């Protein structure tokens, strides 16, 4: 009979031996296996990660500078069947510390040999490349032991003669110098940029001022044009108003003359009736017919004379009144025409084409009616 053995994922179980002298070995991790009593043997080996700190003191570099280098490595036993068998062959029965010591000595040997081929600057300034080189060189050797290097980094690098400190001071001085140069260049670029910005601002301001001046000039020109047009229209309206006023005055004066003529005709008719009345009165009051007849004839002659005289006086008065009215009208029209021509001349001189057009319109012939004669 036998027992059933279980194992977790962090360790491996090795079952060896069997019936009939078999040398078969069974490797199990994270599972179970059957082992016979008395004829089978079971052993366990850890698969957990092991942390190592390889340290090389006073190892001379390619330049002969003694350095002390400390690294950190993470290693573990591989779980592939062939590699696990190799690891069990070499480490089965040993504790974890013994395995660490073997791997640690291997890593320190490779670390020491690589340090002798590099300069201090290569080791100090490019630690990642240095650690990668150590891992690549040591991996085949530890791999033949069934060990896998999961990671390897350089923890510390120092020396006892202050070589690294001097190197750091030199680098610091170089960095400080570059920083000062960078600050100076930045200040120079800032000054140049500030000057360019000021120039752009002045250019924009100049363009804005130019546009404002152009707008003001255009506004003044437009305003002047509007004022000229308004003045022309005002002058035309004033001329039209004065001409219309003169025409109305002429019509009014003609109507007054006609009224005076009618009144004079009525007065002449009244005077003729008075003459007739007087003539009848004389005939009725004369006692002797002959005297009455003679007196009648004489009165008729005198009345006819008076009538002719009055008619002549009325005609002369009518002609005089009509002449005076026409003279007054002609005088008023002459004054209006002179004033109009004066305004037209001023408008022509000041407003140009608009006044010329008004002058042409006013020069058209006007129809003037002849005065009426009294019958």
């Amino acid at each position: 009979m036998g027992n059933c053995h279980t194992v977790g994922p962090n360790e491996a179980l090795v079952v060896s031996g069997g019936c009939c002298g078999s040398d078969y070995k069974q490797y199990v991790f994270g599972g179970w296996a059957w082992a016979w009593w008395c004829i089978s043997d079971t052993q366990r080996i850890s698969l957990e990660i092991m942390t190592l700190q390889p340290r090389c003191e006073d190892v001379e570099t390619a330049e002969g500078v003694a350095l002390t280098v400390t690294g950190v490595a993470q290693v573990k036993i591989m779980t592939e069947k062939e590699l696990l068998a190799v690891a069990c062959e070499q480490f089965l029965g040993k504790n974890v510390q013994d395995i660490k010591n073997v791997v640690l000595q291997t890593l320190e040997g490779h670390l020491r040999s690589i340090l002798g081929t590099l300069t201090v600057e290569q080791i100090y300034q490019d630690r990642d490349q240095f650690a990668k080189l150590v891992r690549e060189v040591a991996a085949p050797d530890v791999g033949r032991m069934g060990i896998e290097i999961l990671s390897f980094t350089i923890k510390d690098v120092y020396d006892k003669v202050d070589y690294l400190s001097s190197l750091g001071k030199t680098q610091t001085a170089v960095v400080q110098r570059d920083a000062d140069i960078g600050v100076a260049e930045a200040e120079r670029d800032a000054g140049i940029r500030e000057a360019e910005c000021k120039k752009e601002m002045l250019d924009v301001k100049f363009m804005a001022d130019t546009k404002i001046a152009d707008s003001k000039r255009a506004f003044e020109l437009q305003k002047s044009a509007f004022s000229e047009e308004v003045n022309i229209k005002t002058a035309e309206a004033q001329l039209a108003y004065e001409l219309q006023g003169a025409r109305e005055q002429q019509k009014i004066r003609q109507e007054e003359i006609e009224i005076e003529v009618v009144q004079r005709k009525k007065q002449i008719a009244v005077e003729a009736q008075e003459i007739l009345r007087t003539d009848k009165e004389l005939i009725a009051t004369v006692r002797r017919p002959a005297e009455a007849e003679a007196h009648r004839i004489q009165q008729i002659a005198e009345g006819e004379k008076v009538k002719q005289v009055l008619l002549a006086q009325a005609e002369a008065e009518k002609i005089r009144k009509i002449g005076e009215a026409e003279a007054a009208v002609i005088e008023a029209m002459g004054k209006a025409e002179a004033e109009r021509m004066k305004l037209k001349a001023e408008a022509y001189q000041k407003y140009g084409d608009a006044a010329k057009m008004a002058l042409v319109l006013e020069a058209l012939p006007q129809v003037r009616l002849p005065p009426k004669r009294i019958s």
Side-chain angles (χ1 to χ4, degrees):
M1 296 301 293
N3 293 327
C4 181
H5 298 269
T6 59
V7 65
N10 62 335
E11 60 180 355
L13 176 67
V14 181
V15 180
S16 58
C19 298
C20 302
S22 173
D23 59 355
Y24 172 77
K25 296 180 179 62
Q26 184 180 4
Y27 302 94
V28 180
F29 59 93
W32 63 275
W34 178 267
W36 298 98
W37 290 341
C38 299
I39 60 175
S40 297
D41 183 33
T42 59
Q43 290 179 299
R44 297 172 185 266
I45 186 170
S46 176
L47 300 179
E48 294 180 352
I49 294 177
M50 294 173 284
T51 301
L52 307 178
Q53 293 186 355
R55 178 184 177 87
C56 296
E57 296 183 358
D58 298 331
V59 179
E60 292 185 357
T61 63
E63 298 173 336
V65 180
L67 294 180
T68 298
V69 179
T70 302
V72 177
Q74 307 293 340
V75 300
K76 69 181 291 295
I77 295 175
M78 291 184 281
T79 57
E80 286 79 358
K81 185 175 181 181
E82 292 79 6
L83 297 176
L84 180 59
V86 172
C88 291
E89 182 181 348
Q90 302 200 22
F91 300 114
L92 195 61
K94 294 183 178 180
N95 56 32
V96 175
Q97 188 60 44
D98 292 337
I99 299 174
K100 285 183 178 182
N101 289 335
V102 173
V103 178
L104 180 60
Q105 290 176 9
T106 302
L107 291 176
E108 287 179 348
H110 286 293
L111 180 60
R112 186 179 296 273
S113 64
I114 292 173
L115 282 172
T117 62
L118 300 175
T119 63
V120 177
E121 287 78 4
Q122 291 175 331
I123 297 170
Y124 185 74
Q125 295 178 0
D126 197 355
R127 295 188 181 188
D128 292 339
Q129 185 63 29
F130 174 45
K132 180 180 179 182
L133 182 60
V134 173
R135 187 167 59 251
E136 291 176 351
V137 172
D141 288 344
V142 296
R144 284 190 288 270
M145 302 178 191
I147 302 296
E148 178 185 9
I149 300 176
L150 299 177
S151 68
F152 182 86
T153 57
I154 301 301
K155 181 179 179 181
D156 192 15
V157 178
Y158 64 92
D159 68 300
K160 297 180 180 179
V161 294
D162 295 333
Y163 183 87
L164 294 175
S165 177
S166 300
L167 184 65
K169 290 179 180 179
T170 302
Q171 185 65 24
T172 302
V174 172
V175 172
Q176 184 64 37
R177 180 199 62 194
D178 294 342
D180 294 339
I181 293 173
V183 171
E185 291 178 349
E187 291 177 351
R188 179 200 62 195
D189 295 341
I192 294 173
R193 183 57 182 164
E194 182 179 1
E196 292 176 352
C197 291
K198 287 183 179 179
K199 181 178 179 299
E200 292 176 359
M201 180 188 69
L202 292 176
D203 292 341
V204 172
K205 184 177 183 298
F206 174 75
M207 293 178 63
D209 293 340
T210 303
K211 289 183 179 180
I212 292 172
D214 293 339
S215 299
K216 287 183 178 179
R217 183 170 62 255
F219 172 75
E220 293 297 333
L221 291 174
Q222 189 69 21
K223 182 179 178 182
S224 177
F226 288 158
S227 299
E228 182 178 356
E229 184 177 357
V230 170
N231 292 332
I232 291 173
K233 296 296 183 182
T234 303
E236 292 176 353
Q238 184 66 27
L239 289 173
Y241 174 77
E242 292 178 355
L243 291 175
Q244 186 64 28
R247 292 191 185 97
E248 295 297 330
Q249 290 294 331
Q250 183 179 4
K251 290 180 180 179
I252 293 172
R253 186 56 185 166
Q254 288 179 353
E255 291 178 357
E256 290 177 350
I257 291 172
E258 292 178 356
I259 292 172
E260 291 178 355
V261 170
V262 172
Q263 290 177 351
R264 188 59 182 167
K265 285 182 178 180
K266 290 182 178 181
Q267 184 179 359
I268 291 171
V270 170
E271 290 176 353
Q273 293 294 330
E274 182 64 23
I275 291 171
L276 292 175
R277 188 189 64 78
T278 304
D279 184 46
K280 290 179 180 180
E281 185 178 355
L282 288 174
I283 292 173
T285 58
V286 175
R287 288 182 237 182
R288 294 185 294 272
E291 292 177 357
E293 182 65 21
H295 185 71
R296 185 182 66 81
I297 294 171
Q298 183 179 0
Q299 289 296 323
I300 291 172
E302 289 180 357
E304 186 66 23
K305 179 181 178 180
V306 171
K307 177 180 178 182
Q308 293 298 326
V309 171
L310 291 175
L311 288 174
Q313 290 178 352
E315 183 67 22
E317 182 67 19
K318 182 186 77 169
I319 293 172
R320 185 179 66 81
K321 292 291 185 179
I322 292 173
E324 290 177 355
E326 289 180 350
V329 170
I330 292 171
E331 181 181 2
M333 291 181 66
K335 289 182 181 180
E337 183 68 18
E339 184 66 22
R340 183 174 67 84
M341 293 302 292
K342 179 180 179 182
L343 292 175
K344 283 184 179 180
E346 293 177 355
Y348 176 76
Q349 183 178 2
K350 186 175 182 180
Y351 301 110
D353 295 339
K356 289 180 180 179
M357 182 59 69
L359 184 61
V360 170
L361 293 176
E362 290 298 328
L364 295 177
Q366 297 181 356
V367 178
R368 182 177 176 183
L369 297 175
K372 296 180 180 178
R373 299 185 60 88
I374 300 174
S375 58

